Amino acid sequence: MERDAGRLLALQVTGVHGLARGSAGGLPTVSAPAGVRAVWAWSPGARLVAVAEDLAGTGHERALSSDPPPYEAERAPRPMEALARTLDGTLEGGPSYVFPPALPPLRPPPLPLLVSDASGLRRARSLRRPANWEPGEWAELTTGTLGPWAMAIDDDTPVSICHTPASTPASAEAGAWTHPAHRGRGLAPHTVAAWAHLQRARVEALFYSTTTGNHASRAVARTLNLTPLGWLWTVTQP
């Protein structure tokens, strides 16, 4: 696929935050989910602004959609900082990546990998549920209801998982977790790469995003040579 930053931003934000519903100031605008007041996605060559429905058409949306500052990685946009102060909300951001057509070869994984093919789904019925997954959520994951997944298994216990927290017919977002006792062993790149292999034939674009301070997650992106797309910033309220 030819790299089109604007389209890629739209695919990612639409997949995570809702469906396109119009434009403001010539920019695509999307509906944000409950708790998310605004989304600012940008790369050096494109920008996309999303606001919650009750902010659409207000001065808040106009402030976000006009006179954008120059792109600066790791620096929160001032209009988003202002909105967070005004709404007494929380501003959080981090880098966004696109999976390239091919990933680099990795050393053999230190633990067996399981993926959500037919045999993997059968095996998943007997796995021990990690404590950070609720029973209902775990059942949806292991039956494939939440989409494709890949896991590193240690004695019938998943200790590193890449799953699909958000997707559309055109895109999918990777979600990665590794048990603290197993971090630093290189498991996450293997599960993320296995997940991408499952997804590649299904959708147009695969995304990986994280937060500014999550250095381990950003290291996974570097290990897999994921292509930097830009930064995603959100303002949320409880």
Side-chain angles (χ1 to χ4, degrees):
M1 180 181 65
E2 182 179 351
R3 181 178 171 85
D4 180 334
R7 175 166 174 75
L8 289 172
L9 289 178
L11 283 173
Q12 185 173 32
V13 174
T14 298
V16 175
H17 296 291
L19 299 175
R21 62 169 176 77
S23 63
L27 297 168
T29 311
V30 305
S31 300
V36 176
R37 309 300 289 144
V39 180
W40 177 298
W42 66 347
S43 71
R47 178 175 63 117
L48 187 150
V49 173
V51 296
E53 186 174 356
D54 63 308
L55 295 181
T58 67
H60 295 302
E61 185 183 35
R62 289 190 291 273
L64 293 176
S65 300
S66 61
D67 299 325
Y71 174 80
E72 185 177 354
E74 304 201 32
R75 174 71 171 89
R78 291 180 181 176
M80 289 289 278
E81 291 179 326
L83 181 66
R85 289 192 299 269
T86 300
L87 301 181
D88 195 23
T90 300
L91 175 63
E92 186 174 56
S96 169
Y97 306 87
V98 183
F99 282 74
L103 297 177
L106 300 173
R107 294 180 179 179
L111 290 173
L113 295 182
L114 189 68
V115 300
S116 56
D117 56 15
S119 62
L121 291 172
R122 289 193 297 270
R123 171 77 189 286
R125 300 171 190 166
S126 62
L127 296 177
R128 299 187 182 96
R129 174 177 57 86
N132 62 312
W133 286 78
E134 296 296 329
E137 186 181 35
W138 182 247
E140 289 183 324
L141 175 74
T142 53
T143 58
T145 303
L146 298 182
W149 49 259
M151 306 178 184
I153 308 297
D154 185 14
D155 191 23
D156 287 332
T157 299
V159 296
S160 184
I161 301 172
C162 184
H163 62 107
T164 312
S167 66
T168 72
S171 66
E173 179 92 13
W177 166 83
T178 300
H179 190 282
H182 290 268
R183 291 173 185 168
R185 302 179 63 187
L187 292 171
H190 283 283
T191 59
V192 173
W195 172 88
H197 180 73
L198 290 174
Q199 289 277 21
R200 198 171 294 283
R202 301 167 182 260
V203 297
E204 177 181 345
L206 299 175
F207 298 101
Y208 182 96
S209 56
T210 185
T211 56
T212 304
N214 193 336
H215 300 292
S217 182
R218 295 175 72 174
V220 171
R222 290 194 299 271
T223 298
L224 295 176
N225 288 340
L226 302 187
T227 304
L229 173 59
W231 283 68
L232 298 179
W233 297 91
T234 60
V235 172
T236 58
Q237 287 179 309

